[in-house]
Amino acid sequence: MAASRALNTFRLPPLPTIGEIIKLFRLQAAKQLSQNFLLDLRLTDKIVRKAGNLTNAYVYEVGPGPGGITRSILNANVAELLVVEKDSRFIPGLQMLSDAAPGKLRIVHGDVLTFKIEKAFPESLKRQWEDDPPNVHIIGNLPFNVSTPLIIKWLENVSQRDGPFAYGRTQMTLTFQKEVAERLAATTGSRQRSRLSVMAQYLCHVQHVFTIPGRAFVPKPEVDVGVVHFTPLTLPRIEQPFQLVEKVVQNAFQFRRKYCHRGLGMLFPEARRLECTGQLLQLADVDPTLRPSQLSVSHFKSLCDVYRKMCDEDPHLFAYNFREELRKNKCKNQDTG
């Protein structure tokens, strides 16, 4: 039995180190792309372990760069690893890894923000949403400039059960600036509580699993890096369209130091703002003097449910944008002046 298990376990053959790959292909982190390389394979192994058991899993790695995490994923005995890399300079180094792991590594030269993952893996991997998560994982050391728009895009995919979540409740293990990682996992009332906290936690179980010191990266970023694990919930904690939840949460947090009624009021046209804000908070049973960071996901559920009813009663309300009203008033004042 032990012998057969040993036969089935894949390990990469001896290869140049990541540092040697960087020298060999004359790779430099592009500052404008917020690139930072992780060279310590003990740390890349740790990131991959936090993703869970990857034996025979299908893994989608975003932004593999010189291939540090890629090596750790391949050594975790996966069935297949698909990497999507935008920067063509990294493709030859990844091709070297592909040659060392025949049939295991697929390389796509493309952009993670537009790549269609839902057709990349076998249909047989798909699971019902209520079942255990599928044997599909997303892992990535994300460039800082992409990480927030990408996680918002993927959270919207979770809400619609499409994209990477067409397979079911696909788990994600991703790196972020430490401050962003703390926001994603922040509890109600904490200093880091933000729009991201609510948007992530109403759809997923979120864990900030460990922090990597900035000095472990090349070039060294000015901040430390947090590794965050996401598991989509079987039922979202707010059952309203993603854009509606996002609008309510964004408005609530735009005046984060003020009472929550101030930001929530911006959901409504100026002429009816006072009346409608009072109605929203009263029907949702939310104290208007709570700060945005003190609002729980349950508070936001009530606010979104009431706001949805108000939008159903007034079809023009959801399209209202207070900045647009400000701009029009400004133009009107200039014209009359």
Side-chain angles (χ1 to χ4, degrees), residues 57-58 125-128 131-137 164-171:
Y58 288 74
L125 292 168
K126 291 188 174 179
R127 295 285 174 270
Q128 293 296 317
D131 293 347
D132 288 341
N135 209 8
V136 176
H137 293 258
F165 309 96
Y167 301 98
R169 295 186 298 118
T170 301
Q171 296 177 80

Side-chain angles (χ1 to χ4, degrees), residues 14 117 222:
I117 181 68
E222 291 174 11

Side-chain angles (χ1 to χ4, degrees), residues 31-48:
K31 194 170 183 182
Q32 71 272 25
L33 299 177
S34 306
Q35 290 173 337
N36 303 92
F37 307 148
L38 194 51
L39 307 191
D40 187 337
L41 292 182
R42 290 168 304 180
L43 284 171
T44 61
D45 284 349
K46 187 174 179 182
I47 290 171
V48 170

Side-chain angles (χ1 to χ4, degrees), residues 144-155:
F144 293 158
N145 65 341
V146 171
S147 61
T148 302
L150 187 59
I151 195 59
I152 289 291
K153 177 182 184 289
W154 278 340
L155 289 169

